[in-house]
Amino acid sequence: MIKISLCLFLVSVPFFAIICSAFSEDRPTDRRVLVLLDDFAIKSSHSIFFKSLETRGFDLDFKLADDPKLALQRYGQYLYDAIVLFAPTIDRFGGSVDAASLLEFVDSGHDLILAADTSASDLIREIAVECGVDFDEDPTAMVIDHTNHAVSETEGHHTLIANDDFVNSEVILGSRKIEAPVLFKGIGHSINPSSSLVTKVLSASPAAYSANPKSKLSSPPTLIGSAISLVSVVQARNNARILISGSLTVFSDRFFRSGVQKAGSTTKHEKCGNEQFFVELSKWVFHERGHLKAVNVRHNKVGETDEPSMYRIKDDLEYSVEVYEWSGSSWEPYVAGDMQVQFYMMSPYVLKTLSSNEKGLYYTSFKIPDVYGVFQFKVEYQRLGYTALSLSKQIPVRPFRHNEYERFIPAALPYYGASFSMMSGFFVFTLVYLYTK
């Protein structure tokens, strides 16, 4: 029995080690990444991108998308923190994985990088639609731009696009400006108007359109201009992050190393912006940047330190919260000037902008309104590129007790005067009535 128990323990140790190193609130960076490929040749043709992930400490598990042993869970626990799906032609996943399980993986708070291509299968398109992105329905269509294409001796259809219309967000693309345009060759997509969670990080120019480059247009294209997104990101309400690209080639070593010159420009860049763009974007997707947490949410009466069980109307109170941002290796103070707290009951009775000490602490003070009931302290912080913060604490507010009212109210002087004048008049009337014949 001892030998059997020892064997079971030794077998379970690696599994528990994997679980312990998983995504957590204390260390939110993804570490275990499943890379699903159409062909193992992609591992070498896209090695620079994969190498950048491994250099930053990610554990990549390369598998074919149709591997019959493919699984995302074991014993009810997810084996991976994120998935890189570089299998645009896959019609059916192997093992126990399907579109529903992949979307459930995202719904549970995990992250996804999805790259499509001109040969994108219905399965890939279905997953993209569920994420709020619609690829062009025409399977032969590509993004064409006759004014913002890259200068090329071999590409004559103007489908090799040199684009620098990036999203204006340092938290998503990093603080260092991307000087060179990004090379793109693939299919475009549009964002579902009903989805407010999708953001275009690389948009097509106003002159671009989506069509078959090898045939003449018989009808106006369905996707035109800046409505076409080349690369988009999604931040779900559970703070899961998704990157969707209409091209797998943009991640390739060939594009990462390629120079670029935009048509009509005399500036030739020795290296295009693909590597910087996608490496920085992957840092955001894998929570190395823009991940916030709030701790030590406190409220108390001014001059006290203990949190009361209830407040009284017109009490002066203080509210504070500490907010930190994950830098990829440690928690750093988050500094902003637009965080607000609401004192809320059906509607906000008090709305205050929180002050900051530049070290992560946000605080304010205010007087409770002359309304009693059950209130909430609410902080709803949603900013582009950052994980959403939703904090709430419920607290009852009572009216004055009978012995807490002021004995003399200056505002009531007219009523006091009226009372005493009436008593005086009655006394004088009584005297006159009694002693006058």
Side-chain angles (χ1 to χ4, degrees), residues 126-159:
E126 177 189 347
I127 295 171
V129 168
E130 292 296 328
C131 296
V133 163
D134 296 312
F135 285 111
D136 195 327
E137 295 180 357
D138 185 355
T140 64
M142 297 180 68
V143 180
I144 303 171
D145 195 332
H146 296 302
T147 60
N148 290 276
H149 60 276
V151 175
S152 173
E153 297 178 357
T154 59
E155 212 287 321
H157 294 293
H158 298 165
T159 56

Side-chain angles (χ1 to χ4, degrees), residues 158-419:
H158 298 165
T159 56
L160 182 61
I161 298 172
N163 201 295
D164 54 5
D165 188 4
F166 307 118
V167 64
N168 184 21
S169 174
E170 289 189 2
V171 67
I172 294 179
L173 294 182
S175 57
R176 187 164 64 94
K177 184 180 178 181
I178 303 174
E179 300 291 345
V182 169
L183 286 175
F184 180 91
K185 186 174 184 179
I187 58 176
H189 59 267
S190 61
I191 294 175
N192 193 324
S194 63
S195 177
S196 60
L197 306 175
V198 188
T199 302
K200 291 189 288 186
V201 291
L202 183 63
S203 303
S205 74
Y209 63 96
S210 179
N212 185 348
K214 297 181 180 180
S215 64
K216 293 183 179 181
L217 286 174
S218 58
S219 59
T222 55
L223 291 180
I224 57 172
S226 300
I228 302 176
S229 180
L230 308 179
V231 180
S232 298
V233 295
V234 184
Q235 176 148 290
R237 291 185 176 87
N238 62 358
N239 290 325
R241 293 175 175 178
I242 306 168
L243 164 62
I244 298 177
S245 169
S247 172
L248 176 60
T249 314
V250 293
F251 294 90
S252 67
D253 297 353
R254 181 167 63 91
F255 273 36
F256 274 28
R257 294 174 177 147
S258 176
V260 61
Q261 180 181 356
K262 186 182 287 191
S265 173
T266 58
T267 304
K268 184 174 182 179
H269 300 271
E270 294 184 0
K271 188 176 181 181
C272 66
N274 288 51
E275 181 175 0
Q276 181 183 351
F277 177 77
F278 285 107
V279 168
E280 293 298 328
L281 198 53
S282 69
K283 290 180 181 179
W284 179 84
V285 174
F286 291 153
H287 294 263
E288 295 175 86
R289 195 167 51 229
H291 189 100
L292 303 179
K293 77 168 182 178
V295 296
N296 297 331
V297 182
R298 299 181 56 81
H299 58 85
N300 53 266
K301 294 181 181 178
V302 173
E304 300 181 4
T305 57
D306 295 333
E307 187 175 298
S309 59
M310 72 170 59
Y311 288 105
R312 188 192 66 187
I313 58 173
K314 296 186 177 182
D315 274 345
D316 292 310
L317 62 84
E318 297 172 327
Y319 178 87
S320 64
V321 59
E322 295 178 31
V323 182
Y324 297 95
E325 179 182 1
W326 182 249
S327 66
S329 58
S330 62
W331 290 102
E332 304 293 340
Y334 175 67
V335 180
D338 57 355
M339 193 170 296
Q340 296 180 321
V341 62
Q342 303 176 50
F343 197 57
Y344 188 93
M345 184 179 69
M346 303 296 288
S347 61
Y349 279 78
V350 177
L351 177 62
K352 295 279 287 186
T353 299
L354 298 173
S355 302
S356 173
N357 67 349
E358 308 293 319
K359 297 180 180 178
L361 177 65
Y362 291 83
Y363 58 91
T364 191
S365 60
F366 58 89
K367 184 183 290 291
I368 295 178
D370 191 5
V371 179
Y372 58 87
V374 179
F375 283 81
Q376 278 187 333
F377 294 98
K378 293 182 69 174
V379 174
E380 298 287 344
Y381 190 73
Q382 297 180 355
R383 293 298 180 270
L384 177 64
Y386 291 98
T387 52
L389 293 179
S390 182
L391 312 174
S392 64
K393 271 196 171 184
Q394 189 168 286
I395 191 77
V397 175
R398 64 173 177 83
F400 286 106
R401 296 193 182 98
H402 70 280
N403 60 351
E404 291 179 326
Y405 287 98
E406 297 180 20
R407 295 303 180 186
F408 181 80
I409 304 175
L413 280 174
Y415 302 97
Y416 297 154
S419 299

